[in-house]
Amino acid sequence: MKANNKKIQVRTSENKIVILGREAGKSKIIVTTKGKDKKGKKIKKTISVNVNPDYTETENNDRDLALEEFAKKYQYLCKTPAMYDGYLLYSDTENIVQGEFRFEVQPLTYDIDDYDSDGQSELLIVNKDPYTDWGEAAMRFQMYEVDSMGQVSLSAEQLCTTKYGDIYGTEILRKGNTRVFKYKKDNEWMIAAEQNIQGTFFDGHARDLLMVVKYQDKPEVKQFEIIGSAEGEWYQGTPDEQAIKSTMKRKYTDLDLNVDVDRIFDGKKHVYDYIANPISLAKTEYSFDRDLLKQGKWSKFSYIICSEK
């Protein structure tokens, strides 16, 4: 069974002939039976069809299956929460700290959904991207689409960066966490990454990073659109603390997020907690006990990596 139009896919499903085409048009389908006629020849039948570009539920299910199979080719971390080791060295002769972490950067989790509201599903993969030799791993989003022939390809990617910094997946010298989640705004999927840190480099800093994007698929344009970001960092108790919090409040408001900035920067709440019906995709947690840091010796610390897929 074959079509004379390369843009048409023909196959059988549950004893039915399924004809798929992304574009409207005409095609001739040649069907050859396994049985033979009285002369011992296979029976052929040519059918002329008009291909409708509208996608049926069955076709969408086939696309979802293709995306799922593609995603399963990756070896993902964190099907269950896992603990990873890191090490710090405080120099004997210099007032510096060196560090490393024992973690192989790789895809973290995936999610299949209709992210661009076109009636078809896409595959979102959240990656941990190598960033620096300090043991940091930035978050990277990748979106994949599947065509009418069942071929899956990368359509867009976005490194999670705010105006001044990067949202990390895991790093040393930090106490806090990073979460990737999605939520609906005006019936569209928003994808967000948030990092909340307390005690950056042991100096009393508090920091919150938030980046919100959405995936858009328009003619000739498939990309992540940055909806906005918010970033704030300060020494707690300093005179400029309230000014920075006011600026952060405005940035959250610009993203239509009504949050308690004080509780966020105290580490008691996260932006995620103030969003209606968020869906968490992945989360990392990391912390280091500075009392374990011994001069001239490698000191072990641990962090948790977990996916909520």
Side-chain angles (χ1 to χ4, degrees), residues 5 46 69 78 96 132 176-177 201 258 271 278:
N5 188 334
T46 301
E69 290 300 316
C78 319
I96 60 173
T132 74
N177 57 70
F201 292 108
N258 183 20
V271 174

Side-chain angles (χ1 to χ4, degrees), residues 131-155:
Y131 187 64
T132 74
D133 50 8
W134 272 94
E136 298 168 341
M139 291 291 189
R140 181 183 295 272
F141 298 151
Q142 291 182 328
M143 193 69 77
Y144 290 82
E145 292 202 7
V146 58
D147 62 20
S148 60
M149 305 300 289
Q151 298 298 311
V152 180
S153 60
L154 177 67
S155 60

Side-chain angles (χ1 to χ4, degrees), residues 38-70:
K38 293 181 179 179
K39 296 181 179 181
K41 295 182 178 180
K42 291 185 177 181
I43 302 173
K44 291 185 177 181
K45 179 70 175 179
T46 301
I47 306 171
S48 296
V49 297
N50 289 322
V51 178
N52 189 324
D54 294 334
Y55 302 105
T56 66
E57 181 178 353
T58 299
E59 292 164 356
N60 280 332
N61 289 340
D62 289 341
R63 284 179 165 80
D64 288 359
L65 180 61
L67 292 174
E68 187 76 33
E69 290 300 316
F70 180 87

Side-chain angles (χ1 to χ4, degrees), residues 210-228:
L210 175 71
M211 179 180 181
V212 180
V213 303
K214 73 174 181 179
Y215 176 66
Q216 64 174 5
D217 180 0
K218 298 179 180 179
E220 306 302 326
V221 178
K222 299 176 186 291
Q223 64 182 23
F224 286 101
E225 177 186 353
I226 300 177
I227 302 303

Side-chain angles (χ1 to χ4, degrees), residues 79-130:
K79 293 182 179 179
T80 59
M83 186 78 74
Y84 294 85
D85 293 333
Y87 295 85
L88 293 177
L89 174 63
Y90 187 61
S91 173
D92 273 323
T93 58
E94 300 179 47
N95 189 24
I96 60 173
V97 178
Q98 300 176 16
E100 65 179 58
F101 69 126
R102 308 292 173 87
F103 169 65
E104 182 180 351
V105 177
Q106 57 183 297
L108 174 61
T109 192
Y110 71 91
D111 185 60
I112 297 174
D113 211 326
D114 183 7
Y115 277 96
D116 56 6
S117 303
D118 66 349
Q120 301 175 56
S121 296
E122 291 80 37
L123 167 66
L124 171 68
I125 292 182
V126 180
N127 288 279
K128 286 184 170 300
D129 217 48

